[in-house]
Amino acid sequence: MDKMWSGRFSASASSLLDQFNASIMFDRELYREDIEGSLAHAAMLEKQGILNAQELSSIRTGLAQVREEIESGVFEWTISDEDLHMAIEKRLTSLIGDAGKKLHTGRSRNDQVAVDFRRYVLRKNLEIARQLKALLETIIDIAGKHTQTLLPGMTHLQHAQPINFGFHLLAYAAMFKRDIERLLSSRERNNVSPLGCAALAGTPHNVDRDFTARELGFESVSVNCLDTVSDRDFALEILFNISTMMMHISRLSEELILWSSYEFGFVELSDEYSTGSSIMPQKKNPDVPELLRGKTGRVYGSLMGLLTVMKGLPLAYNKDTQEDKEGVFDAVATAHISLDILNEALKTMTVKSENMLAASKKGHLSATDLADYLVEHCGVPFREAHFITGKAVARAEALGIDLSEISYNELKAIDERIDEDIIAHLQLEHSMNARMSAGGTATLRTLEQLVHFEHYLKELDI
Ligand code: ARG
């Protein structure tokens, strides 16, 4: 009968229950937040005259020792202690005696776990945003070197129009920028302290919630205690934000996988971030982007898991909520390593511009330019221009060349109205640079986009 809550029980908990009920195997991840929360709570209790100075001082000494024991690996994590909150309090009391037993005054494990987990998630929002910032720097760096590197822009994975590689990469910069913004706005929205909400209804003790909120670095105190002890929106938000980020990573990974195939040959991943085959000696496999793509599914699973745990829970705290942590810990760990490895894989990758250019010369990427030329310079209605261009493409096909390589005479034979200056219009670079509308692929516009992201990063103080 060594449970803290055993007063009203006459028989001990079965060991099966201990195993089933415990969160101590995973919630120790929150030990820093738990100890800091207790220190803030104790300081507040002393300020309010609920603890005396002597008691506060021994709580501080005791918690410092507990922290030391955890960090040096000698702390005894026992499943029958149920969770880290009770394990730490029990050890504290065994170290300092009665003062330890007063620490839980005006507090419940319900607001305690809400504080710990919320602070952990707020911290992780920031850490992941910082890693995304580093990734964005790498992407912008590579993009800056390739604002004139032609490659086929695609729709339906079919050659569509010529673009430059910098422009292509900046599409990912835009996605990762939004990911940073989402993480930071979630941090702002959820930066409220649950401490002092106690079990569900607040506490009759004269606590100072503003004081503990300040001590713990929260912006303010939460508004409604019943909501606060059962709210896990902050955890759902980080899961959604990581899921969306992984979805972006997965899309980029898919392109890296395609691009490093013989069929594309647009990039080569470095040896450091490629793997071999156990049977085929010639192989170099893109395991890194493949695993990034795969891990995305696992993160989505955690998001769906917690959404489902929370669905239909009556107010306020329910033990179901204990299922909130493992998925978040796993998603956060996945985010950390994924961002690091993607960043390194990109930094060390070789861009094969010549293959990109060769691919651009397949598929008549400047066909739209011929149609546009007929409309603009010859007054041909677009539908008709589309038809004439189709004829020109068929002629190029018959000659076994790309439309960008066709001669003036061939075009003239198809339509009298076409002038010699068409040849310049059909050049791939010309075609790319003609797309000057805001946000377009023209090198000038791409450079503007680069400046946009550089400015964002410069201002981003995290
Ligand atoms: N281990 C619990 C959790 O993670 C802590 C809160 C327990 N509260 C309770 N009333 N049983 O959710």
Side-chain angles (χ1 to χ4, degrees):
M1 294 287 284
D2 59 350
K3 294 268 193 277
M4 289 196 180
W5 39 253
S6 64
R8 59 104 70 218
F9 290 79
S10 46
S12 300
S14 90
S15 67
L16 194 57
L17 174 91
D18 280 347
Q19 271 179 58
F20 186 64
N21 203 31
S23 54
I24 200 162
M25 309 74 80
F26 52 85
D27 65 10
R28 22 169 144 156
E29 177 90 22
L30 301 173
Y31 81 88
R32 286 182 212 88
E33 284 80 8
D34 199 70
I35 290 173
E36 286 161 11
S38 289
L39 286 170
H41 184 65
M44 182 278 293
L45 291 177
E46 193 266 346
K47 182 181 83 72
Q48 300 297 89
I50 300 168
L51 290 179
N52 64 39
Q54 178 54 43
E55 288 164 334
L56 172 60
S57 142
S58 54
I59 287 173
R60 282 181 171 151
T61 318
L63 284 174
Q65 175 160 348
V66 170
R67 188 174 178 135
E68 163 68 35
E69 289 176 4
I70 294 174
E71 286 175 354
S72 62
V74 300
F75 191 90
E76 264 184 58
W77 298 101
T78 321
I79 210 156
S80 62
D81 284 341
E82 198 176 317
D83 57 30
L84 98 149
H85 320 293
M86 293 207 279
I88 291 179
E89 191 186 318
K90 189 171 122 188
R91 178 67 186 137
L92 177 69
T93 304
S94 85
L95 286 169
I96 66 168
D98 282 350
K101 293 185 185 165
K102 291 191 179 174
L103 175 63
H104 213 50
T105 314
R107 182 174 80 168
S108 153
R109 272 186 298 155
N110 296 353
D111 59 345
Q112 192 176 354
V113 74
V115 170
D116 295 0
F117 196 33
R118 191 177 282 260
R119 285 188 70 231
Y120 166 87
V121 167
L122 295 182
R123 172 162 66 87
K124 290 299 174 182
N125 276 315
L126 195 57
E127 286 177 21
I128 296 170
R130 285 183 183 138
Q131 283 181 284
L132 272 164
K133 185 181 178 191
L135 177 66
L136 209 46
E137 274 158 6
T138 301
I139 290 176
I140 284 170
D141 192 48
I142 306 173
K145 295 183 181 123
H146 291 283
T147 58
Q148 310 205 38
T149 307
L150 288 168
L151 86 163
M154 304 207 179
T155 63
H156 313 268
L157 204 61
Q158 305 287 329
H159 288 208
Q161 291 175 350
I163 59 173
N164 70 72
F165 188 49
F167 177 70
H168 193 113
L169 287 177
L170 291 182
Y172 287 102
M175 297 178 219
F176 293 129
K177 176 181 174 228
R178 287 196 296 276
D179 290 336
I180 296 178
E181 289 165 349
R182 260 188 293 271
L183 286 161
L184 297 180
S185 81
S186 175
R187 193 177 140 81
E188 260 174 51
R189 181 169 37 262
N190 293 300
N191 205 343
V192 295
S193 174
L195 201 54
C197 281
L200 71 162
T203 168
H205 294 284
N206 179 25
V207 297
D208 183 344
R209 294 191 62 200
D210 290 311
F211 177 86
T212 45
R214 265 198 311 279
E215 285 284 292
L216 292 170
F218 287 109
E219 277 295 311
S220 57
V221 300
S222 68
V223 172
N224 175 290
C225 290
L226 200 57
D227 167 52
T228 308
V229 290
S230 68
D231 167 26
R232 294 296 181 272
D233 293 4
F234 63 91
L236 288 167
E237 283 184 24
I238 199 169
L239 286 173
F240 173 79
N241 291 337
I242 295 175
S243 294
T244 306
M245 177 193 92
M246 289 302 294
M247 178 269 289
H248 293 149
I249 288 179
S250 171
R251 293 183 68 182
L252 175 54
S253 297
E254 172 68 12
E255 302 216 270
L256 292 175
I257 294 162
L258 289 172
W259 289 345
S260 51
S261 68
Y262 278 113
E263 285 68 21
F264 279 81
F266 288 2
V267 300
E268 184 174 342
L269 296 174
S270 69
D271 284 2
E272 278 172 282
Y273 293 100
S274 299
T275 48
S277 156
S278 61
I279 174 168
M280 296 165 282
Q282 83 284 12
K283 290 209 70 185
K284 189 167 174 185
N285 291 331
D287 283 20
V288 168
E290 286 174 74
L291 262 177
L292 288 169
R293 193 176 56 182
K295 283 180 187 291
T296 305
R298 158 180 177 163
V299 171
Y300 291 2
S302 297
L303 171 62
M304 289 317 296
L306 185 55
L307 276 170
T308 312
V309 165
M310 295 306 293
K311 173 188 171 297
L313 285 189
L315 288 169
Y317 179 85
N318 297 272
K319 190 73 173 207
D320 314 44
T321 327
Q322 180 168 286
E323 292 290 316
D324 59 0
K325 292 173 206 55
E326 287 157 290
V328 170
F329 293 156
D330 187 73
V332 163
T334 303
H336 281 326
I337 189 150
S338 298
L339 285 166
D340 276 349
I341 201 156
L342 175 60
N343 197 352
E344 290 309 312
L346 289 176
K347 275 186 195 165
T348 56
M349 150 187 109
T350 310
V351 177
K352 297 176 153 178
S353 309
E354 59 307 338
N355 291 346
M356 291 183 180
L357 181 63
S360 304
K361 291 182 182 158
K362 287 181 194 144
H364 318 290
L365 294 180
S366 51
T368 319
D369 298 80
L370 175 53
D372 288 341
Y373 174 92
L374 287 163
V375 171
E376 254 183 64
H377 298 265
C378 315
V380 179
F382 184 77
R383 260 311 135 226
E384 199 189 326
H386 190 285
F387 184 79
I388 297 166
T389 306
K391 292 240 167 272
V393 166
R395 183 66 192 141
E397 288 273 311
L399 294 168
I401 54 173
D402 187 66
L403 188 64
S404 62
E405 294 160 339
I406 202 164
S407 73
Y408 169 57
N409 286 339
E410 291 287 352
L411 290 172
K412 188 85 181 162
I414 293 168
D415 196 294
E416 268 291 297
R417 290 166 291 187
I418 297 175
D419 229 330
E420 209 159 348
D421 62 346
I422 183 62
I423 295 306
H425 280 84
L426 295 186
Q427 298 315 298
L428 297 172
E429 201 172 306
H430 186 283
S431 168
M432 184 266 285
N433 279 319
R435 278 155 182 80
M436 273 290 281
S437 53
T441 190
T443 297
L444 266 177
R445 291 293 182 231
T446 304
L447 289 170
E448 280 172 13
Q449 294 161 40
L450 260 178
V451 170
H452 167 87
F453 290 113
E454 277 162 5
H455 179 75
Y456 172 71
L457 286 179
K458 212 173 131 223
E459 298 289 299
L460 184 63
D461 184 20
I462 55 174

